[in-house]
Amino acid sequence: MQAYIVRRLLLMVPVIVGVSVIIFVILRAIPGDAIDAQLESSGNLSQAQRQQARAELGLDKPIWQQYLIWAGNAVHGDLGNTFQSHRPVTTELKNRVPITAEVALLAIVIVVSTGIPIGIFSAARRDGIADYSMRSISVLALSAPTFWIGIMLLFVLSRYFHYFPPIGQGFNLFSSPGQNLQMVIFPALTLAAPLSAVSMRLVRSQMLEVLRQDYVRTAWAKGLRERQVITRHALKNAMIPVITILGAQLGALLGGTVITEQVFTIPGTGSALRNAILQRDYPLVQALVLCLALIFVVLNLLIDLLYARLDPRIRYS
């Protein structure tokens, strides 16, 4: 197992390097650069001023040289400064990533605590009234766009409950946990709604497949209770594909959800990535994409290790 983990960690290096090269090239293949984006709001500059500005940002060098300079600094923990605010990119990451991480983790907690139990219950009561009801609700949750769910949630809270969530007022987890929870719970619920529906339907289908297996019939024949059959014999095998989906969902959420962050005015990675792309802020875009890539490869490793815990037949050598 240790040798497998070491190999996977070593394989992360070429993956991260490859992602950095791809995003570096793609960004510079987009027409215009940070100077052109600034001209749209600041007015015209002379050709000499534009050349000077590009030289100050290092955009006048060949692309391979730009990459080597940036990669060399990144290895030492220096991701550069943003083109717009001229602040260190690491500072922007420290301010943005924890906010998105808090919302994403809370959303996954909601998904696990609702989608999985409902899927198990629906499979155990197959073709019953509760099963049809849960499946209908899941279809509605999957059909509704995420931004619409967020807007309707805000509308219902303000119109019928006269409650206005404190959105866009900063996130203070440790100094004011109660206010912080009010700010993150509704974005988390918005993100969790379609993901809970996906998890519920996947758990239901996997549980129905596992419940047809011979070893489960043997457990029923031994006279075990329904709870014992489901939790001890069926659930672990049914959870393997569910864990895969949850890991991918968590990676996507940590990467930032642009629309939800716009609806709830959340200063997270999604809104930062959108603004950075529009402003051609290369250092910030590169750093955010690298963080996303790193999150995905780490989550894939953790999921693979969790497989062996759920199914003793899986071995890594």
Side-chain angles (χ1 to χ4, degrees):
M1 177 68 74
Q2 293 180 350
Y4 173 78
I5 295 176
V6 172
R7 288 199 305 270
R8 288 292 300 271
L9 291 176
L10 291 176
L11 287 174
M12 289 182 185
V13 176
V15 171
I16 298 300
V17 172
V19 170
S20 67
V21 172
I22 292 173
I23 189 62
F24 202 91
V25 173
I26 289 178
L27 282 175
R28 284 153 181 80
I30 300 175
D33 56 19
I35 306 302
D36 295 322
Q38 292 176 6
L39 289 176
E40 295 178 0
S41 58
S42 62
N44 294 324
L45 295 176
S46 65
Q47 188 65 24
Q49 291 175 322
R50 296 176 63 161
Q51 292 296 334
Q52 181 181 357
R54 286 192 170 91
E56 292 175 353
L57 297 178
L59 300 177
D60 59 333
K61 297 180 176 64
I63 185 172
W64 62 269
Q65 190 174 356
Q66 294 182 42
Y67 176 79
L68 291 179
I69 294 173
W70 174 82
N73 293 332
V75 170
H76 295 88
D78 182 10
L79 297 175
N81 298 329
T82 64
F83 287 169
Q84 301 300 319
S85 63
H86 303 291
R87 295 193 299 175
V89 172
T90 52
T91 302
E92 291 290 333
L93 295 180
K94 290 178 183 178
N95 294 335
R96 301 278 188 164
V97 173
I99 297 173
T100 301
E102 184 180 354
V103 176
L105 291 175
L106 182 57
I108 289 296
V109 169
I110 296 173
V111 170
V112 172
S113 59
T114 57
I116 294 178
I118 292 174
I120 296 172
F121 178 80
S122 185
R125 301 292 183 269
R126 179 184 180 184
D127 296 333
I129 296 178
D131 181 26
Y132 282 116
S133 300
M134 295 300 102
R135 288 159 62 186
S136 300
I137 294 174
S138 68
V139 171
L140 290 175
L142 287 172
S143 303
T146 305
F147 72 89
W148 183 85
I149 295 176
I151 293 173
M152 292 305 298
L153 182 58
L154 292 175
F155 172 75
V156 171
L157 289 173
S158 60
R159 176 67 175 82
Y160 298 102
F161 296 94
H162 306 288
Y163 175 75
F164 299 90
I167 60 177
Q169 298 182 14
F171 288 73
N172 43 9
L173 175 59
F174 300 104
S175 61
S176 181
Q179 184 182 11
N180 181 80
L181 180 62
Q182 294 180 54
M183 288 186 289
V184 300
I185 185 64
F186 299 109
L189 286 171
T190 301
L191 295 173
L195 301 184
S196 295
V198 172
S199 300
M200 173 264 169
R201 297 181 70 86
L202 182 59
V203 169
R204 179 184 180 277
S205 63
Q206 291 297 317
M207 284 294 297
L208 290 177
E209 182 177 349
V210 172
L211 290 174
R212 299 190 189 100
Q213 301 298 319
D214 292 338
Y215 67 88
V216 176
R217 294 195 185 100
T218 303
W220 286 114
K222 289 180 179 179
L224 296 178
R225 296 180 179 178
E226 182 181 30
R227 179 178 298 179
Q228 293 176 314
V229 173
I230 291 176
T231 57
R232 294 185 181 180
H233 298 275
L235 184 57
K236 282 188 176 181
N237 291 325
M239 282 299 295
I240 291 180
V242 179
I243 292 297
T244 304
I245 296 298
L246 288 177
Q249 291 174 344
L250 179 58
L253 291 177
L254 288 173
T257 50
V258 178
I259 297 178
T260 302
E261 290 187 0
Q262 293 294 321
V263 171
F264 290 94
T265 322
I266 300 175
T269 58
S271 58
L273 184 59
R274 171 187 174 275
N275 296 333
I277 293 174
L278 293 177
Q279 296 169 354
R280 311 292 196 275
D281 199 336
Y282 299 155
L284 186 54
V285 176
Q286 290 160 187
L288 290 171
V289 173
L290 278 182
C291 284
L292 176 58
L294 185 61
I295 288 170
F296 267 103
V297 295
V298 171
L299 284 176
N300 284 332
L301 174 59
L302 295 177
I303 291 170
D304 288 345
L305 297 178
L306 189 57
Y307 288 160
R309 295 285 299 176
L310 293 175
D311 192 343
R313 296 171 298 178
I314 299 177
R315 290 289 183 268
Y316 296 113
S317 57

